[in-house]
Amino acid sequence: MKAVTWHGKRDIRVEDVPDPVIQEPTDAIVRMTTTNLCGSDLHLYEVLGAFMDAGDVLGHEPMGIVEEVGSAVTNLKKGDRVVIPFQMSCGSCFSCDLQLYTQCETTQVRAHGTGAALFGYSKLYGQVPGGQAEYLRVPQAQFTHIRVPEGPPDERFVYLSDVLPTAWQAVEYAAVPDGGTLAVIGLGPIGDMAARIGLHKGFRVIGIDLVPERLQRARERGVEVLDLTEHGDGLGDVVRELTDGRGPDSVVDAVGMEAHGSPVNKTIQTMASLMPDFLAGPMMEKAGVDRLAALYSSIDMVRRGGTVSLSGVYGGAASPMPLLQMFDKQIQFRMGQANVKKWVDDLMPLLTDDDPLGVDTFHTHALPLSEAPSAYEKFQKKEDGYVKVIFKP
Ligand SMILES: NC(=O)c1ccc[n+]([C@@H]2O[C@H](COP(=O)([O-])OP(=O)(O)OC[C@H]3O[C@@H](n4cnc5c(N)ncnc54)[C@H](O)[C@@H]3O)[C@@H](O)[C@H]2O)c1
Ligand SMILES: [Zn+2]
Ligand SMILES: [Zn+2]
């Protein structure tokens, strides 16, 4: 089959790889009909190469049609239409009983001390072949699927794999009080959708980014937008001016470790991405090579006693954090990968023909898999209006 494979920093190829087969009774094989590119893929493209091997298949936002199921998968059959969550979870362990599906004890990657295995997401998360391919092997398929109805186009449902539950969890974790104000830092797909969900829930939403068309998309939906390139270091003051001098009740950081505006850490990250894996791996894991501009903005901007919700992905164990300010302001923090299936019942009623969250028109580019190399490049450089790419294998 054709698949999108990683070969090195900014080196993505489309190659023939062996078709996946059932390996465990709990597996299923799904034929991909739509499979997305995500901001999280850009971390593999740029800074997490130490945890990748040449030929690893990328992708974790897939949907399609079940082709085959293992003997233990009694709740799926050939022909079913399914979205596959980006994490694999068993549905019946201690963590899954708590709906902490990203911490599933059956799929946890203990060799790296990380949580549930993720599709197409490096050795840190199990090195499981991903969904930017014609077919996907789904481990723990008895639970790792979301059945969706026939009829509407894939675009209606495919974001249940990641964008929708991630943005929903970001806003839930932000604990915005009734009638309160939510600031969303970063208006890529995740921040854009978190802003839409914030508006849908009746909050005032302030959105911040530096890419003109991303600001424009959010503005069109009723978000008050601020351009980082205009406000820079004064951003916190500008946001406080808009919020009675206090700052927003809650802030979602939807940027993560490749934030613009932190040159020192950028240098360390670039060094790590050029080093041999055996040196770069420990450096990326332990040395705190993050670029923390967006996180620092969140801490600065949130009102005293407010909540910061991190959905942007951070790495590094020695990241310098402004603990005095965090303690003094009595800030609450919540974070983590989205527990996808926890939020499906909240989201499904919003995926109707009147499309309150605008999912049908959310993608900016629908492309064949063969265009993956240029799509990664343009999405990373934010060129030609690339915001959300969906592939049609
Ligand atoms: N928690 C989860 O489960 C989960 C799931 C999916 C994605 N993510 C993470 O969420 C983040 C966003 O994903 P995405 O798909 O929207 O990616 P993206 O890279 O398209 O979006 C990031 C946005 O942040 C903007 N930005 C960069 N620096 C900024 C700064 N200092 N201030 C304000 N804006 C800034 C960029 O212009 C861009 O629009 C990534 O870190 C991704 O890994 C987390
Ligand atoms: Zn994703
Ligand atoms: Zn589990």
Side-chain angles (χ1 to χ4, degrees):
M1 67 164 181
K2 295 260 178 271
V4 177
T5 55
W6 183 95
H7 283 271
K9 186 177 175 182
R10 294 185 217 157
D11 183 357
I12 299 296
R13 303 181 196 168
V14 180
E15 296 183 305
D16 287 313
V17 302
D19 286 355
V21 293
I22 300 276
Q23 294 174 16
E24 302 287 335
T26 46
D27 288 353
I29 303 294
V30 178
R31 176 171 57 82
M32 301 283 90
T33 54
T34 300
T35 183
N36 307 337
L37 177 53
C38 174
S40 294
D41 295 321
L42 295 180
H43 306 318
L44 308 176
Y45 191 62
E46 188 67 33
V47 299
L48 290 178
F51 303 104
M52 300 292 287
D53 285 333
D56 281 353
V57 179
L58 298 165
H60 61 265
E61 302 195 358
M63 74 175 286
I65 306 294
V66 175
E67 278 286 312
E68 198 185 341
V69 294
S71 57
V73 185
T74 53
N75 55 354
L76 276 181
K77 60 177 189 319
K78 185 174 163 68
D80 284 347
R81 189 184 196 201
V82 289
V83 174
I84 305 300
F86 69 87
Q87 69 235 205
M88 283 147 259
S89 49
C90 74
S92 56
C93 67
F94 175 85
S95 296
C96 287
D97 286 348
L98 294 171
Q99 294 190 298
L100 288 167
Y101 303 121
T102 57
Q103 315 301 326
C104 173
E105 292 187 346
T106 306
T107 73
Q108 266 179 29
V109 184
R110 292 186 171 80
H112 286 281
T114 48
L118 310 180
F119 288 100
Y121 218 73
S122 85
K123 292 171 198 166
L124 285 177
Y125 289 100
Q127 205 169 29
V128 182
Q132 289 166 9
E134 291 177 307
Y135 293 90
L136 175 68
R137 171 181 161 249
V138 180
Q140 299 298 326
Q142 77 287 352
F143 191 74
T144 306
H145 71 264
I146 301 162
R147 194 190 299 272
V148 295
E150 300 296 335
D154 280 6
E155 287 75 349
R156 183 75 56 84
F157 302 116
V158 71
Y159 306 110
L160 286 169
S161 57
D162 184 340
V163 174
L164 286 167
T166 297
W168 191 273
Q169 178 169 304
V171 177
E172 283 288 318
Y173 279 12
V176 194
D178 281 348
T181 302
L182 171 67
V184 178
I185 307 188
L187 296 170
I190 300 298
D192 184 331
M193 188 56 77
R196 293 178 190 208
I197 289 168
L199 291 173
H200 174 77
K201 290 179 171 241
F203 306 134
R204 178 181 176 201
V205 180
I206 298 171
I208 298 135
D209 204 294
L210 57 161
V211 181
E213 64 270 14
R214 294 180 181 217
L215 291 163
Q216 181 58 22
R217 257 164 79 101
R219 188 185 290 116
E220 278 164 12
R221 297 202 60 102
V223 177
E224 294 170 54
V225 298
L226 295 172
D227 185 342
L228 186 70
T229 59
E230 275 170 36
H231 303 294
D233 289 345
L235 183 68
D237 291 332
V238 175
V239 173
R240 276 183 286 277
E241 263 167 46
L242 291 172
T243 49
D244 300 326
R246 286 192 197 98
D249 302 294
S250 308
V251 179
V252 166
D253 171 347
V255 179
M257 62 180 151
E258 283 158 89
H260 293 266
S262 176
V264 176
N265 283 315
K266 181 172 186 204
T267 308
I268 304 172
Q269 265 184 352
T270 308
M271 272 166 56
S273 71
L274 295 171
M275 285 166 133
D277 288 359
F278 72 98
L279 290 174
M283 185 160 173
M284 280 302 294
E285 237 169 344
K286 302 222 165 47
V289 292
D290 311 338
R291 289 157 66 184
L292 298 175
L295 179 55
Y296 289 160
S297 295
S298 311
I299 294 165
D300 170 45
M301 156 187 324
V302 71
R303 74 156 158 78
R304 288 177 179 275
T307 304
V308 173
S309 167
L310 299 184
S311 48
V313 170
Y314 288 94
S319 314
M321 294 289 285
L323 270 176
L324 170 62
Q325 192 185 17
M326 290 159 67
F327 184 84
D328 178 64
K329 288 182 75 173
Q330 204 170 328
I331 297 172
Q332 351 225 357
F333 269 87
R334 292 197 76 183
M335 64 192 88
Q337 303 275 8
N339 300 299
V340 172
K341 288 193 68 171
K342 180 175 166 81
W343 310 112
V344 171
D345 290 345
D346 293 306
L347 287 161
M348 210 53 112
L350 302 176
L351 304 181
T352 50
D353 282 343
D354 44 334
D355 194 13
L357 299 177
V359 292
D360 287 356
T361 53
F362 191 67
H363 70 283
T364 52
H365 295 78
L367 303 170
L369 267 191
S370 57
E371 290 193 36
S374 81
Y376 269 78
E377 187 183 349
K378 289 181 172 168
F379 178 50
Q380 188 197 34
K381 292 183 177 161
K382 303 173 178 70
E383 286 175 356
D384 296 349
Y386 272 66
V387 181
K388 190 67 183 177
V389 178
I390 61 177
F391 294 114
K392 300 286 185 177

